Amino acid sequence: MDLEANMSLLEDIKIIINRNIDLKKDLSDEEIEEIITKAVFEKSRETYLSVTDKQFLISYFFNAMRRLDIIQPLLDDPAVTEIMVNGPDDIFIEREGRISKLNLAFVNKERLEDVIQTIVSKVNRTVNEASPIVDARLEDGSRVSVVLPPIALNGPILTIRKFPDKPMTMEQLLAYGALTEEAAAVLEHMVKAKYNIFICGGTGSGKTTFLNALSNFIPADERIVTIEDSAELQIVNVKNIVKLETRNANTEGKGQITIRDLIKTSLRMRPDRIIVGEVRGGEALDMLQAMNTGHDGSLSTGHANSTKDMLSRLETMVLTASSFPLEAIRQQIASALDVIIHLGRLRDKTRRVLEISEVVGYQDGEIVLNPLFFFNEEGKMSAEKVEGALVRTENPMIHTMKFKMSGIRCKV
């Protein structure tokens, strides 16, 4: 149904609903839906509505009153992976790696703002003109980013990154061709042997998805603490798990809990492993120190265009939080990290593991990497499809002591 062409119909049904609803009574979803259904059928007596139109209108008004309005069907669609609302009139989605604009619009800017407030209030976050930027999440774990005017010039901006109901497994990633069975087996052994692993890549390259897949290899009898800005990780096979989430400051500028605070707190919780969803700033120092003080097997992610890029970014992050000399920082990074995995989103929109490198150590003022696997593109170059696979290099793995200590035989 074309909403713009039927604005008067929508307004008439809205009037009937308001007339029949008791604002003093706390109504259940079933009662609200019954009132909406009666209003739609009442209107259909004077205006012809097909069965499809009636179903659409009932769903439309119920979503507007109790759920997230016109974006609710997009959230319910498993094929949609990202929803991008650039103001009330511009709505884009990502489906199967392709971005397209929808012929949808909120009634007005105020209605979009109401939806945003509904989302952030459920996770005890605040967003307004004084504090116009916030990260939040939906009940299903979907990640939400909000930017309001005056920072956003074209109206309230709402971006929702959806995640599947069940976390993607390594078997599924293998089926998609994201990596090879050989590389997956090596990574499984590395996780079980408690190597410290860092996953890097660009936006949308699949870092969180890959971190979830790797976490499935963690032995079920271990205790894990996860630390995130907005809870996204879906670790299902470990029962002894503590999930921590940051908190923004209140309107008075008090009560902020940062990732740095949570990392320090986690050290007193007797974790076997600490998983930091993503490092962006000074918390990199605390993460590295945790890895260097007996918390082997820790996992984390960060934004970077290559493994070497990630090392440079970590140096910069630590510099923002300390006055350590660069040499000391590099030594800290080299001793804390064991393996760096680089993910990429290729031109055909597929997500692949592009490199797996061992962090060998610190030598001649530089952190030394030992590439173990790299993505090799094969066949004719094409924009539509990238053909290639993750290839094992001839470099033997140097630091194998953790394999020996854990009794794991792994030929790398």
Side-chain angles (χ1 to χ4, degrees), residues 85-315:
V85 181
N86 305 337
D89 302 318
D90 288 322
I91 300 176
F92 295 79
I93 61 166
E94 181 188 57
R95 182 185 276 120
E96 297 179 351
R98 307 284 175 177
I99 295 176
S100 58
K101 187 178 187 302
L102 299 181
N103 186 26
L104 279 179
F106 284 88
V107 175
N108 50 40
K109 184 183 75 169
E110 288 69 29
R111 181 55 194 146
L112 172 54
E113 289 175 342
D114 289 343
V115 169
I116 289 172
Q117 293 299 337
T118 298
I119 292 172
V120 300
S121 63
K122 286 184 178 180
V123 288
N124 297 317
R125 299 285 171 103
T126 302
V127 63
N128 48 44
E129 283 193 11
S131 179
I133 301 174
V134 72
D135 291 324
R137 57 181 162 79
L138 300 179
E139 292 177 356
D140 64 358
S142 298
R143 185 171 67 199
V144 179
S145 175
V146 174
V147 185
L148 295 184
I151 303 301
L153 302 181
N154 51 334
I157 308 299
L158 173 66
T159 308
I160 301 175
R161 168 78 59 83
K162 290 174 60 184
F163 296 99
D165 295 333
K166 295 181 179 179
M168 194 169 290
T169 63
M170 192 59 72
E171 288 74 20
Q172 289 174 297
L173 292 175
L174 285 168
Y176 289 137
L179 74 168
T180 61
E181 289 187 12
E182 181 187 9
V186 169
L187 291 175
E188 178 179 358
H189 291 317
M190 286 178 173
V191 172
K192 289 179 177 178
K194 303 191 79 170
Y195 281 84
N196 291 324
I197 299 174
F198 200 95
I199 302 165
C200 67
T203 301
S205 59
K207 296 184 293 297
T208 303
T209 299
F210 202 82
L211 181 55
N212 272 323
L214 282 184
S215 70
N216 290 327
F217 297 139
I218 297 174
D221 61 348
E222 293 190 13
R223 176 172 170 82
I224 299 173
V225 177
T226 67
I227 298 169
E228 302 172 85
D229 267 335
S230 294
E232 301 170 14
L233 294 173
Q234 299 169 289
I235 300 174
V236 294
N237 67 319
V238 178
K239 303 302 180 187
N240 193 353
I241 184 169
V242 176
K243 300 180 180 181
L244 303 179
E245 185 179 61
T246 62
R247 185 177 70 187
N248 293 339
N250 59 21
T251 52
E252 298 174 351
K254 298 178 181 179
Q256 182 182 24
I257 305 293
T258 66
I259 284 185
R260 297 197 69 179
D261 298 327
L262 295 178
I263 291 176
K264 291 172 183 175
T265 300
S266 71
L267 298 176
R268 296 189 284 270
M269 294 183 173
R270 198 226 164 270
D272 289 307
R273 301 174 192 246
I274 299 171
I275 299 179
V276 183
E278 184 178 334
V279 291
R280 300 189 187 96
E283 65 270 11
L285 173 61
D286 302 280
M287 179 200 70
L288 294 171
Q289 288 178 336
M291 289 179 174
N292 271 325
T293 52
H295 295 90
D296 287 338
S298 296
L299 305 169
S300 188
T301 75
H303 279 82
N305 295 322
S306 68
T307 52
K308 288 186 177 180
D309 232 15
M310 192 67 246
L311 294 174
S312 298
R313 289 210 65 218
L314 283 172
E315 291 171 12

